PDB file of all heavy atoms in Angstrom:
ATOM      1  N   ASN E 825      18.853  -3.987   6.682  1.00 82.00           N
ATOM      2  CA  ASN E 825      20.315  -3.950   6.669  1.00 82.00           C
ATOM      3  C   ASN E 825      20.870  -2.531   6.595  1.00 82.00           C
ATOM      4  O   ASN E 825      22.072  -2.331   6.732  1.00 82.00           O
ATOM      5  CB  ASN E 825      20.840  -4.742   5.467  1.00 82.00           C
ATOM      6  CG  ASN E 825      20.370  -6.183   5.467  1.00 82.00           C
ATOM      7  OD1 ASN E 825      20.381  -6.836   6.504  1.00 82.00           O
ATOM      8  ND2 ASN E 825      19.944  -6.677   4.309  1.00 82.00           N
ATOM      9  N   TYR E 826      19.972  -1.548   6.378  1.00 83.00           N
ATOM     10  CA  TYR E 826      20.440  -0.197   6.098  1.00 83.00           C
ATOM     11  C   TYR E 826      20.131   0.817   7.190  1.00 83.00           C
ATOM     12  O   TYR E 826      20.651   1.922   7.174  1.00 83.00           O
ATOM     13  CB  TYR E 826      19.847   0.316   4.786  1.00 83.00           C
ATOM     14  CG  TYR E 826      20.102  -0.559   3.595  1.00 83.00           C
ATOM     15  CD1 TYR E 826      19.117  -0.759   2.631  1.00 83.00           C
ATOM     16  CD2 TYR E 826      21.331  -1.198   3.425  1.00 83.00           C
ATOM     17  CE1 TYR E 826      19.340  -1.573   1.524  1.00 83.00           C
ATOM     18  CE2 TYR E 826      21.562  -2.009   2.325  1.00 83.00           C
ATOM     19  CZ  TYR E 826      20.571  -2.192   1.375  1.00 83.00           C
ATOM     20  OH  TYR E 826      20.797  -2.989   0.282  1.00 83.00           O
ATOM     21  N   ASN E 827      19.266   0.491   8.134  1.00 84.00           N
ATOM     22  CA  ASN E 827      18.963   1.462   9.187  1.00 84.00           C
ATOM     23  C   ASN E 827      18.758   0.753  10.520  1.00 84.00           C
ATOM     24  O   ASN E 827      18.710  -0.478  10.587  1.00 84.00           O
ATOM     25  CB  ASN E 827      17.735   2.314   8.816  1.00 84.00           C
ATOM     26  CG  ASN E 827      16.490   1.487   8.575  1.00 84.00           C
ATOM     27  OD1 ASN E 827      16.265   0.479   9.235  1.00 84.00           O
ATOM     28  ND2 ASN E 827      15.647   1.912   7.642  1.00 84.00           N
ATOM     29  N   ASP E 828      18.638   1.548  11.572  1.00 85.00           N
ATOM     30  CA  ASP E 828      18.547   1.010  12.927  1.00 85.00           C
ATOM     31  C   ASP E 828      17.163   1.177  13.533  1.00 85.00           C
ATOM     32  O   ASP E 828      16.987   1.030  14.748  1.00 85.00           O
ATOM     33  CB  ASP E 828      19.572   1.700  13.836  1.00 85.00           C
ATOM     34  CG  ASP E 828      21.001   1.408  13.415  1.00 85.00           C
ATOM     35  OD1 ASP E 828      21.260   0.265  12.992  1.00 85.00           O
ATOM     36  OD2 ASP E 828      21.834   2.330  13.479  1.00 85.00           O
ATOM     37  N   ILE E 829      16.168   1.484  12.718  1.00 90.00           N
ATOM     38  CA  ILE E 829      14.807   1.629  13.218  1.00 90.00           C
ATOM     39  C   ILE E 829      14.000   0.388  12.865  1.00 90.00           C
ATOM     40  O   ILE E 829      14.433  -0.447  12.072  1.00 90.00           O
ATOM     41  CB  ILE E 829      14.127   2.875  12.622  1.00 90.00           C
ATOM     42  CG1 ILE E 829      13.981   2.707  11.096  1.00 90.00           C
ATOM     43  CG2 ILE E 829      14.902   4.133  12.956  1.00 90.00           C
ATOM     44  CD1 ILE E 829      13.133   3.787  10.455  1.00 90.00           C
ATOM     45  N   LYS E 830      12.825   0.283  13.461  1.00 93.00           N
ATOM     46  CA  LYS E 830      11.931  -0.809  13.105  1.00 93.00           C
ATOM     47  C   LYS E 830      11.056  -0.352  11.946  1.00 93.00           C
ATOM     48  O   LYS E 830      10.296   0.610  12.062  1.00 93.00           O
ATOM     49  CB  LYS E 830      11.066  -1.223  14.298  1.00 93.00           C
ATOM     50  CG  LYS E 830      10.215  -2.458  14.000  1.00 93.00           C
ATOM     51  CD  LYS E 830       9.613  -3.051  15.257  1.00 93.00           C
ATOM     52  CE  LYS E 830       8.830  -4.318  14.940  1.00 93.00           C
ATOM     53  NZ  LYS E 830       8.302  -4.975  16.145  1.00 93.00           N
ATOM     54  N   ASN E 831      11.174  -1.021  10.837  1.00 95.00           N
ATOM     55  CA  ASN E 831      10.453  -0.659   9.623  1.00 95.00           C
ATOM     56  C   ASN E 831       9.047  -1.266   9.625  1.00 95.00           C
ATOM     57  O   ASN E 831       8.792  -2.271  10.302  1.00 95.00           O
ATOM     58  CB  ASN E 831      11.230  -1.123   8.399  1.00 95.00           C
ATOM     59  CG  ASN E 831      12.618  -0.505   8.336  1.00 95.00           C
ATOM     60  OD1 ASN E 831      12.773   0.692   8.509  1.00 95.00           O
ATOM     61  ND2 ASN E 831      13.626  -1.330   8.101  1.00 95.00           N
ATOM     62  N   ASP E 832       8.172  -0.664   8.834  1.00 96.00           N
ATOM     63  CA  ASP E 832       6.767  -1.066   8.830  1.00 96.00           C
ATOM     64  C   ASP E 832       6.256  -1.130   7.393  1.00 96.00           C
ATOM     65  O   ASP E 832       6.630  -0.300   6.554  1.00 96.00           O
ATOM     66  CB  ASP E 832       5.952  -0.052   9.644  1.00 96.00           C
ATOM     67  CG  ASP E 832       4.544  -0.548   9.942  1.00 96.00           C
ATOM     68  OD1 ASP E 832       4.339  -1.768   9.940  1.00 96.00           O
ATOM     69  OD2 ASP E 832       3.656   0.292  10.157  1.00 96.00           O
ATOM     70  N   PHE E 833       5.389  -2.109   7.138  1.00 96.00           N
ATOM     71  CA  PHE E 833       4.889  -2.345   5.773  1.00 96.00           C
ATOM     72  C   PHE E 833       3.491  -2.928   5.880  1.00 96.00           C
ATOM     73  O   PHE E 833       3.287  -3.930   6.559  1.00 96.00           O
ATOM     74  CB  PHE E 833       5.833  -3.351   5.088  1.00 96.00           C
ATOM     75  CG  PHE E 833       5.490  -3.759   3.683  1.00 96.00           C
ATOM     76  CD1 PHE E 833       6.211  -3.248   2.606  1.00 96.00           C
ATOM     77  CD2 PHE E 833       4.515  -4.707   3.423  1.00 96.00           C
ATOM     78  CE1 PHE E 833       5.946  -3.664   1.304  1.00 96.00           C
ATOM     79  CE2 PHE E 833       4.231  -5.123   2.126  1.00 96.00           C
ATOM     80  CZ  PHE E 833       4.955  -4.600   1.073  1.00 96.00           C
ATOM     81  N   TYR E 834       2.535  -2.273   5.272  1.00 96.00           N
ATOM     82  CA  TYR E 834       1.182  -2.843   5.274  1.00 96.00           C
ATOM     83  C   TYR E 834       0.456  -2.472   3.991  1.00 96.00           C
ATOM     84  O   TYR E 834       0.861  -1.555   3.264  1.00 96.00           O
ATOM     85  CB  TYR E 834       0.384  -2.401   6.497  1.00 96.00           C
ATOM     86  CG  TYR E 834       0.007  -0.944   6.543  1.00 96.00           C
ATOM     87  CD1 TYR E 834      -1.199  -0.498   6.011  1.00 96.00           C
ATOM     88  CD2 TYR E 834       0.848  -0.004   7.147  1.00 96.00           C
ATOM     89  CE1 TYR E 834      -1.553   0.838   6.065  1.00 96.00           C
ATOM     90  CE2 TYR E 834       0.502   1.324   7.200  1.00 96.00           C
ATOM     91  CZ  TYR E 834      -0.703   1.748   6.659  1.00 96.00           C
ATOM     92  OH  TYR E 834      -1.050   3.069   6.708  1.00 96.00           O
ATOM     93  N   THR E 835      -0.603  -3.195   3.696  1.00 96.00           N
ATOM     94  CA  THR E 835      -1.340  -2.991   2.448  1.00 96.00           C
ATOM     95  C   THR E 835      -2.799  -2.677   2.718  1.00 96.00           C
ATOM     96  O   THR E 835      -3.345  -2.984   3.780  1.00 96.00           O
ATOM     97  CB  THR E 835      -1.289  -4.245   1.551  1.00 96.00           C
ATOM     98  OG1 THR E 835      -2.007  -5.311   2.187  1.00 96.00           O
ATOM     99  CG2 THR E 835       0.141  -4.682   1.289  1.00 96.00           C
ATOM    100  N   ASP E 836      -3.405  -2.083   1.721  1.00 93.00           N
ATOM    101  CA  ASP E 836      -4.844  -1.852   1.715  1.00 93.00           C
ATOM    102  C   ASP E 836      -5.302  -1.991   0.277  1.00 93.00           C
ATOM    103  O   ASP E 836      -4.502  -1.829  -0.658  1.00 93.00           O
ATOM    104  CB  ASP E 836      -5.155  -0.452   2.253  1.00 93.00           C
ATOM    105  CG  ASP E 836      -6.635  -0.285   2.606  1.00 93.00           C
ATOM    106  OD1 ASP E 836      -7.366  -1.300   2.611  1.00 93.00           O
ATOM    107  OD2 ASP E 836      -7.053   0.851   2.863  1.00 93.00           O
ATOM    108  N   TYR E 837      -6.562  -2.293   0.075  1.00 93.00           N
ATOM    109  CA  TYR E 837      -7.062  -2.382  -1.298  1.00 93.00           C
ATOM    110  C   TYR E 837      -8.524  -1.964  -1.365  1.00 93.00           C
ATOM    111  O   TYR E 837      -9.243  -1.968  -0.375  1.00 93.00           O
ATOM    112  CB  TYR E 837      -6.898  -3.801  -1.867  1.00 93.00           C
ATOM    113  CG  TYR E 837      -7.714  -4.877  -1.197  1.00 93.00           C
ATOM    114  CD1 TYR E 837      -9.058  -5.081  -1.535  1.00 93.00           C
ATOM    115  CD2 TYR E 837      -7.149  -5.699  -0.230  1.00 93.00           C
ATOM    116  CE1 TYR E 837      -9.808  -6.066  -0.917  1.00 93.00           C
ATOM    117  CE2 TYR E 837      -7.901  -6.686   0.394  1.00 93.00           C
ATOM    118  CZ  TYR E 837      -9.225  -6.875   0.043  1.00 93.00           C
ATOM    119  OH  TYR E 837      -9.968  -7.850   0.654  1.00 93.00           O
ATOM    120  N   GLU E 838      -8.916  -1.554  -2.566  1.00 94.00           N
ATOM    121  CA  GLU E 838     -10.306  -1.244  -2.872  1.00 94.00           C
ATOM    122  C   GLU E 838     -10.697  -2.040  -4.104  1.00 94.00           C
ATOM    123  O   GLU E 838      -9.904  -2.160  -5.042  1.00 94.00           O
ATOM    124  CB  GLU E 838     -10.491   0.249  -3.184  1.00 94.00           C
ATOM    125  CG  GLU E 838     -10.270   1.179  -2.029  1.00 94.00           C
ATOM    126  CD  GLU E 838     -10.525   2.636  -2.421  1.00 94.00           C
ATOM    127  OE1 GLU E 838     -11.044   2.863  -3.547  1.00 94.00           O
ATOM    128  OE2 GLU E 838     -10.194   3.525  -1.627  1.00 94.00           O
ATOM    129  N   LEU E 839     -11.914  -2.551  -4.106  1.00 94.00           N
ATOM    130  CA  LEU E 839     -12.418  -3.268  -5.266  1.00 94.00           C
ATOM    131  C   LEU E 839     -13.656  -2.555  -5.788  1.00 94.00           C
ATOM    132  O   LEU E 839     -14.605  -2.312  -5.038  1.00 94.00           O
ATOM    133  CB  LEU E 839     -12.768  -4.709  -4.903  1.00 94.00           C
ATOM    134  CG  LEU E 839     -13.368  -5.544  -6.048  1.00 94.00           C
ATOM    135  CD1 LEU E 839     -12.327  -5.757  -7.149  1.00 94.00           C
ATOM    136  CD2 LEU E 839     -13.884  -6.881  -5.532  1.00 94.00           C
ATOM    137  N   HIS E 840     -13.627  -2.231  -7.075  1.00 96.00           N
ATOM    138  CA  HIS E 840     -14.776  -1.629  -7.745  1.00 96.00           C
ATOM    139  C   HIS E 840     -15.205  -2.560  -8.872  1.00 96.00           C
ATOM    140  O   HIS E 840     -14.360  -3.158  -9.539  1.00 96.00           O
ATOM    141  CB  HIS E 840     -14.419  -0.255  -8.311  1.00 96.00           C
ATOM    142  CG  HIS E 840     -13.905   0.705  -7.285  1.00 96.00           C
ATOM    143  ND1 HIS E 840     -14.742   1.509  -6.534  1.00 96.00           N
ATOM    144  CD2 HIS E 840     -12.645   0.975  -6.868  1.00 96.00           C
ATOM    145  CE1 HIS E 840     -14.023   2.242  -5.719  1.00 96.00           C
ATOM    146  NE2 HIS E 840     -12.746   1.936  -5.884  1.00 96.00           N
ATOM    147  N   GLU E 841     -16.507  -2.667  -9.073  1.00 95.00           N
ATOM    148  CA  GLU E 841     -17.027  -3.529 -10.140  1.00 95.00           C
ATOM    149  C   GLU E 841     -18.065  -2.766 -10.930  1.00 95.00           C
ATOM    150  O   GLU E 841     -18.896  -2.046 -10.367  1.00 95.00           O
ATOM    151  CB  GLU E 841     -17.642  -4.797  -9.548  1.00 95.00           C
ATOM    152  CG  GLU E 841     -18.098  -5.813 -10.595  1.00 95.00           C
ATOM    153  CD  GLU E 841     -19.525  -5.564 -11.106  1.00 95.00           C
ATOM    154  OE1 GLU E 841     -20.315  -4.959 -10.353  1.00 95.00           O
ATOM    155  OE2 GLU E 841     -19.839  -5.978 -12.238  1.00 95.00           O
ATOM    156  N   TYR E 842     -17.994  -2.887 -12.252  1.00 95.00           N
ATOM    157  CA  TYR E 842     -18.988  -2.234 -13.108  1.00 95.00           C
ATOM    158  C   TYR E 842     -19.127  -3.030 -14.401  1.00 95.00           C
ATOM    159  O   TYR E 842     -18.144  -3.287 -15.094  1.00 95.00           O
ATOM    160  CB  TYR E 842     -18.556  -0.799 -13.423  1.00 95.00           C
ATOM    161  CG  TYR E 842     -19.570  -0.011 -14.205  1.00 95.00           C
ATOM    162  CD1 TYR E 842     -20.834   0.264 -13.676  1.00 95.00           C
ATOM    163  CD2 TYR E 842     -19.266   0.478 -15.481  1.00 95.00           C
ATOM    164  CE1 TYR E 842     -21.762   1.002 -14.391  1.00 95.00           C
ATOM    165  CE2 TYR E 842     -20.193   1.209 -16.197  1.00 95.00           C
ATOM    166  CZ  TYR E 842     -21.449   1.473 -15.647  1.00 95.00           C
ATOM    167  OH  TYR E 842     -22.376   2.194 -16.367  1.00 95.00           O
ATOM    168  N   ASN E 843     -20.348  -3.436 -14.681  1.00 93.00           N
ATOM    169  CA  ASN E 843     -20.655  -4.181 -15.908  1.00 93.00           C
ATOM    170  C   ASN E 843     -19.753  -5.398 -16.110  1.00 93.00           C
ATOM    171  O   ASN E 843     -19.280  -5.674 -17.217  1.00 93.00           O
ATOM    172  CB  ASN E 843     -20.553  -3.261 -17.126  1.00 93.00           C
ATOM    173  CG  ASN E 843     -21.732  -2.315 -17.234  1.00 93.00           C
ATOM    174  OD1 ASN E 843     -22.762  -2.502 -16.565  1.00 93.00           O
ATOM    175  ND2 ASN E 843     -21.615  -1.307 -18.074  1.00 93.00           N
ATOM    176  N   GLY E 844     -19.489  -6.125 -15.025  1.00 94.00           N
ATOM    177  CA  GLY E 844     -18.704  -7.352 -15.139  1.00 94.00           C
ATOM    178  C   GLY E 844     -17.206  -7.138 -15.224  1.00 94.00           C
ATOM    179  O   GLY E 844     -16.460  -8.083 -15.498  1.00 94.00           O
ATOM    180  N   ILE E 845     -16.748  -5.897 -15.002  1.00 96.00           N
ATOM    181  CA  ILE E 845     -15.319  -5.600 -14.975  1.00 96.00           C
ATOM    182  C   ILE E 845     -14.929  -5.270 -13.536  1.00 96.00           C
ATOM    183  O   ILE E 845     -15.607  -4.510 -12.856  1.00 96.00           O
ATOM    184  CB  ILE E 845     -14.960  -4.402 -15.882  1.00 96.00           C
ATOM    185  CG1 ILE E 845     -15.523  -4.593 -17.297  1.00 96.00           C
ATOM    186  CG2 ILE E 845     -13.443  -4.200 -15.915  1.00 96.00           C
ATOM    187  CD1 ILE E 845     -14.923  -5.732 -18.069  1.00 96.00           C
ATOM    188  N   TYR E 846     -13.826  -5.855 -13.081  1.00 96.00           N
ATOM    189  CA  TYR E 846     -13.346  -5.639 -11.719  1.00 96.00           C
ATOM    190  C   TYR E 846     -12.092  -4.763 -11.743  1.00 96.00           C
ATOM    191  O   TYR E 846     -11.164  -5.013 -12.526  1.00 96.00           O
ATOM    192  CB  TYR E 846     -13.041  -6.973 -11.037  1.00 96.00           C
ATOM    193  CG  TYR E 846     -14.270  -7.828 -10.856  1.00 96.00           C
ATOM    194  CD1 TYR E 846     -14.633  -8.763 -11.824  1.00 96.00           C
ATOM    195  CD2 TYR E 846     -15.078  -7.692  -9.736  1.00 96.00           C
ATOM    196  CE1 TYR E 846     -15.779  -9.540 -11.669  1.00 96.00           C
ATOM    197  CE2 TYR E 846     -16.225  -8.458  -9.572  1.00 96.00           C
ATOM    198  CZ  TYR E 846     -16.567  -9.375 -10.548  1.00 96.00           C
ATOM    199  OH  TYR E 846     -17.707 -10.131 -10.393  1.00 96.00           O
ATOM    200  N   PHE E 847     -12.077  -3.761 -10.870  1.00 97.00           N
ATOM    201  CA  PHE E 847     -10.953  -2.837 -10.753  1.00 97.00           C
ATOM    202  C   PHE E 847     -10.422  -2.953  -9.322  1.00 97.00           C
ATOM    203  O   PHE E 847     -10.996  -2.410  -8.390  1.00 97.00           O
ATOM    204  CB  PHE E 847     -11.407  -1.402 -11.029  1.00 97.00           C
ATOM    205  CG  PHE E 847     -12.120  -1.228 -12.350  1.00 97.00           C
ATOM    206  CD1 PHE E 847     -13.498  -1.382 -12.430  1.00 97.00           C
ATOM    207  CD2 PHE E 847     -11.411  -0.911 -13.495  1.00 97.00           C
ATOM    208  CE1 PHE E 847     -14.166  -1.211 -13.636  1.00 97.00           C
ATOM    209  CE2 PHE E 847     -12.071  -0.738 -14.711  1.00 97.00           C
ATOM    210  CZ  PHE E 847     -13.448  -0.892 -14.782  1.00 97.00           C
ATOM    211  N   LEU E 848      -9.336  -3.688  -9.164  1.00 96.00           N
ATOM    212  CA  LEU E 848      -8.752  -3.941  -7.846  1.00 96.00           C
ATOM    213  C   LEU E 848      -7.543  -3.024  -7.657  1.00 96.00           C
ATOM    214  O   LEU E 848      -6.538  -3.154  -8.365  1.00 96.00           O
ATOM    215  CB  LEU E 848      -8.335  -5.400  -7.727  1.00 96.00           C
ATOM    216  CG  LEU E 848      -7.650  -5.831  -6.428  1.00 96.00           C
ATOM    217  CD1 LEU E 848      -8.578  -5.650  -5.233  1.00 96.00           C
ATOM    218  CD2 LEU E 848      -7.189  -7.284  -6.523  1.00 96.00           C
ATOM    219  N   GLN E 849      -7.644  -2.101  -6.721  1.00 96.00           N
ATOM    220  CA  GLN E 849      -6.590  -1.116  -6.488  1.00 96.00           C
ATOM    221  C   GLN E 849      -5.879  -1.415  -5.171  1.00 96.00           C
ATOM    222  O   GLN E 849      -6.511  -1.491  -4.126  1.00 96.00           O
ATOM    223  CB  GLN E 849      -7.184   0.297  -6.454  1.00 96.00           C
ATOM    224  CG  GLN E 849      -7.870   0.688  -7.748  1.00 96.00           C
ATOM    225  CD  GLN E 849      -8.496   2.066  -7.698  1.00 96.00           C
ATOM    226  OE1 GLN E 849      -8.569   2.698  -6.637  1.00 96.00           O
ATOM    227  NE2 GLN E 849      -8.949   2.567  -8.845  1.00 96.00           N
ATOM    228  N   TYR E 850      -4.564  -1.576  -5.268  1.00 96.00           N
ATOM    229  CA  TYR E 850      -3.738  -1.863  -4.087  1.00 96.00           C
ATOM    230  C   TYR E 850      -2.902  -0.649  -3.708  1.00 96.00           C
ATOM    231  O   TYR E 850      -2.366   0.049  -4.572  1.00 96.00           O
ATOM    232  CB  TYR E 850      -2.787  -3.019  -4.382  1.00 96.00           C
ATOM    233  CG  TYR E 850      -3.186  -4.329  -3.752  1.00 96.00           C
ATOM    234  CD1 TYR E 850      -3.876  -5.286  -4.484  1.00 96.00           C
ATOM    235  CD2 TYR E 850      -2.872  -4.616  -2.428  1.00 96.00           C
ATOM    236  CE1 TYR E 850      -4.244  -6.492  -3.919  1.00 96.00           C
ATOM    237  CE2 TYR E 850      -3.228  -5.824  -1.846  1.00 96.00           C
ATOM    238  CZ  TYR E 850      -3.919  -6.760  -2.599  1.00 96.00           C
ATOM    239  OH  TYR E 850      -4.275  -7.947  -2.029  1.00 96.00           O
ATOM    240  N   THR E 851      -2.768  -0.432  -2.400  1.00 96.00           N
ATOM    241  CA  THR E 851      -1.843   0.564  -1.873  1.00 96.00           C
ATOM    242  C   THR E 851      -0.949  -0.094  -0.839  1.00 96.00           C
ATOM    243  O   THR E 851      -1.436  -0.732   0.092  1.00 96.00           O
ATOM    244  CB  THR E 851      -2.589   1.737  -1.204  1.00 96.00           C
ATOM    245  OG1 THR E 851      -3.426   2.379  -2.162  1.00 96.00           O
ATOM    246  CG2 THR E 851      -1.605   2.753  -0.644  1.00 96.00           C
ATOM    247  N   ILE E 852       0.346   0.023  -1.044  1.00 97.00           N
ATOM    248  CA  ILE E 852       1.327  -0.405  -0.052  1.00 97.00           C
ATOM    249  C   ILE E 852       1.825   0.838   0.669  1.00 97.00           C
ATOM    250  O   ILE E 852       2.213   1.821   0.036  1.00 97.00           O
ATOM    251  CB  ILE E 852       2.514  -1.131  -0.704  1.00 97.00           C
ATOM    252  CG1 ILE E 852       2.074  -2.465  -1.308  1.00 97.00           C
ATOM    253  CG2 ILE E 852       3.634  -1.362   0.317  1.00 97.00           C
ATOM    254  CD1 ILE E 852       3.168  -3.154  -2.115  1.00 97.00           C
ATOM    255  N   SER E 853       1.810   0.805   1.983  1.00 96.00           N
ATOM    256  CA  SER E 853       2.380   1.879   2.790  1.00 96.00           C
ATOM    257  C   SER E 853       3.564   1.301   3.554  1.00 96.00           C
ATOM    258  O   SER E 853       3.414   0.308   4.271  1.00 96.00           O
ATOM    259  CB  SER E 853       1.346   2.438   3.779  1.00 96.00           C
ATOM    260  OG  SER E 853       0.239   3.008   3.086  1.00 96.00           O
ATOM    261  N   SER E 854       4.729   1.907   3.388  1.00 95.00           N
ATOM    262  CA  SER E 854       5.906   1.399   4.084  1.00 95.00           C
ATOM    263  C   SER E 854       6.661   2.545   4.735  1.00 95.00           C
ATOM    264  O   SER E 854       6.714   3.659   4.202  1.00 95.00           O
ATOM    265  CB  SER E 854       6.828   0.635   3.127  1.00 95.00           C
ATOM    266  OG  SER E 854       7.393   1.501   2.170  1.00 95.00           O
ATOM    267  N   TYR E 855       7.221   2.238   5.891  1.00 94.00           N
ATOM    268  CA  TYR E 855       8.012   3.231   6.621  1.00 94.00           C
ATOM    269  C   TYR E 855       9.402   2.665   6.856  1.00 94.00           C
ATOM    270  O   TYR E 855       9.568   1.610   7.482  1.00 94.00           O
ATOM    271  CB  TYR E 855       7.374   3.588   7.959  1.00 94.00           C
ATOM    272  CG  TYR E 855       8.151   4.664   8.693  1.00 94.00           C
ATOM    273  CD1 TYR E 855       8.044   5.992   8.298  1.00 94.00           C
ATOM    274  CD2 TYR E 855       9.016   4.338   9.729  1.00 94.00           C
ATOM    275  CE1 TYR E 855       8.774   6.985   8.937  1.00 94.00           C
ATOM    276  CE2 TYR E 855       9.752   5.330  10.377  1.00 94.00           C
ATOM    277  CZ  TYR E 855       9.629   6.643   9.967  1.00 94.00           C
ATOM    278  OH  TYR E 855      10.357   7.620  10.589  1.00 94.00           O
ATOM    279  N   THR E 856      10.401   3.361   6.321  1.00 92.00           N
ATOM    280  CA  THR E 856      11.798   2.946   6.508  1.00 92.00           C
ATOM    281  C   THR E 856      12.647   4.129   6.954  1.00 92.00           C
ATOM    282  O   THR E 856      13.852   4.172   6.710  1.00 92.00           O
ATOM    283  CB  THR E 856      12.354   2.356   5.192  1.00 92.00           C
ATOM    284  OG1 THR E 856      12.171   3.319   4.135  1.00 92.00           O
ATOM    285  CG2 THR E 856      11.645   1.064   4.821  1.00 92.00           C
ATOM    286  N   GLY E 857      11.976   5.086   7.597  1.00 89.00           N
ATOM    287  CA  GLY E 857      12.648   6.296   8.038  1.00 89.00           C
ATOM    288  C   GLY E 857      12.097   7.508   7.294  1.00 89.00           C
ATOM    289  O   GLY E 857      11.459   7.384   6.252  1.00 89.00           O
ATOM    290  N   GLY E 858      12.331   8.686   7.847  1.00 85.00           N
ATOM    291  CA  GLY E 858      11.850   9.894   7.195  1.00 85.00           C
ATOM    292  C   GLY E 858      10.647  10.476   7.917  1.00 85.00           C
ATOM    293  O   GLY E 858      10.287  10.061   9.016  1.00 85.00           O
ATOM    294  N   VAL E 859       9.999  11.427   7.251  1.00 86.00           N
ATOM    295  CA  VAL E 859       8.910  12.180   7.872  1.00 86.00           C
ATOM    296  C   VAL E 859       7.621  11.380   7.912  1.00 86.00           C
ATOM    297  O   VAL E 859       6.847  11.467   8.863  1.00 86.00           O
ATOM    298  CB  VAL E 859       8.685  13.511   7.113  1.00 86.00           C
ATOM    299  CG1 VAL E 859       7.516  14.284   7.707  1.00 86.00           C
ATOM    300  CG2 VAL E 859       9.950  14.355   7.138  1.00 86.00           C
ATOM    301  N   HIS E 860       7.366  10.588   6.880  1.00 87.00           N
ATOM    302  CA  HIS E 860       6.097   9.874   6.807  1.00 87.00           C
ATOM    303  C   HIS E 860       6.260   8.588   5.994  1.00 87.00           C
ATOM    304  O   HIS E 860       7.328   8.296   5.446  1.00 87.00           O
ATOM    305  CB  HIS E 860       5.005  10.766   6.195  1.00 87.00           C
ATOM    306  CG  HIS E 860       5.417  11.406   4.899  1.00 87.00           C
ATOM    307  ND1 HIS E 860       5.688  10.706   3.753  1.00 87.00           N
ATOM    308  CD2 HIS E 860       5.603  12.717   4.575  1.00 87.00           C
ATOM    309  CE1 HIS E 860       6.020  11.532   2.775  1.00 87.00           C
ATOM    310  NE2 HIS E 860       5.979  12.755   3.254  1.00 87.00           N
ATOM    311  N   TYR E 861       5.174   7.849   5.914  1.00 91.00           N
ATOM    312  CA  TYR E 861       5.151   6.617   5.142  1.00 91.00           C
ATOM    313  C   TYR E 861       5.344   6.917   3.647  1.00 91.00           C
ATOM    314  O   TYR E 861       5.000   8.002   3.164  1.00 91.00           O
ATOM    315  CB  TYR E 861       3.831   5.882   5.337  1.00 91.00           C
ATOM    316  CG  TYR E 861       3.760   5.047   6.590  1.00 91.00           C
ATOM    317  CD1 TYR E 861       3.606   5.642   7.840  1.00 91.00           C
ATOM    318  CD2 TYR E 861       3.845   3.663   6.532  1.00 91.00           C
ATOM    319  CE1 TYR E 861       3.543   4.885   8.997  1.00 91.00           C
ATOM    320  CE2 TYR E 861       3.787   2.885   7.677  1.00 91.00           C
ATOM    321  CZ  TYR E 861       3.632   3.503   8.911  1.00 91.00           C
ATOM    322  OH  TYR E 861       3.574   2.734  10.042  1.00 91.00           O
ATOM    323  N   PHE E 862       5.848   5.922   2.937  1.00 90.00           N
ATOM    324  CA  PHE E 862       5.974   5.986   1.490  1.00 90.00           C
ATOM    325  C   PHE E 862       4.907   5.074   0.890  1.00 90.00           C
ATOM    326  O   PHE E 862       4.668   3.973   1.391  1.00 90.00           O
ATOM    327  CB  PHE E 862       7.378   5.517   1.070  1.00 90.00           C
ATOM    328  CG  PHE E 862       7.598   5.483  -0.406  1.00 90.00           C
ATOM    329  CD1 PHE E 862       7.736   6.658  -1.126  1.00 90.00           C
ATOM    330  CD2 PHE E 862       7.652   4.274  -1.084  1.00 90.00           C
ATOM    331  CE1 PHE E 862       7.932   6.626  -2.501  1.00 90.00           C
ATOM    332  CE2 PHE E 862       7.848   4.225  -2.457  1.00 90.00           C
ATOM    333  CZ  PHE E 862       8.003   5.416  -3.164  1.00 90.00           C
ATOM    334  N   GLN E 863       4.256   5.537  -0.169  1.00 94.00           N
ATOM    335  CA  GLN E 863       3.185   4.746  -0.776  1.00 94.00           C
ATOM    336  C   GLN E 863       3.582   4.225  -2.148  1.00 94.00           C
ATOM    337  O   GLN E 863       4.227   4.919  -2.932  1.00 94.00           O
ATOM    338  CB  GLN E 863       1.915   5.579  -0.910  1.00 94.00           C
ATOM    339  CG  GLN E 863       1.145   5.745   0.382  1.00 94.00           C
ATOM    340  CD  GLN E 863      -0.256   6.292   0.157  1.00 94.00           C
ATOM    341  OE1 GLN E 863      -0.656   6.605  -0.960  1.00 94.00           O
ATOM    342  NE2 GLN E 863      -1.015   6.411   1.229  1.00 94.00           N
ATOM    343  N   ILE E 864       3.152   2.986  -2.412  1.00 95.00           N
ATOM    344  CA  ILE E 864       3.297   2.366  -3.730  1.00 95.00           C
ATOM    345  C   ILE E 864       1.910   1.885  -4.136  1.00 95.00           C
ATOM    346  O   ILE E 864       1.218   1.229  -3.344  1.00 95.00           O
ATOM    347  CB  ILE E 864       4.268   1.176  -3.701  1.00 95.00           C
ATOM    348  CG1 ILE E 864       5.615   1.583  -3.097  1.00 95.00           C
ATOM    349  CG2 ILE E 864       4.474   0.616  -5.106  1.00 95.00           C
ATOM    350  CD1 ILE E 864       6.506   0.399  -2.764  1.00 95.00           C
TER     351      ILE E 864
END
C-alpha cells in the first residue's frame, strides 16, 4: 500500500544440534525499496 514496486520476501534457516539441543536460526530477507534487502 506504500510503494509502487514489486516487493520480495523470502526465508532461510540453519539448524545446529549439539548434545540433544537444537538451535534453529531463521533469516528473513525482504525488499521493499532501497539499496538492498533488509534482514530480520
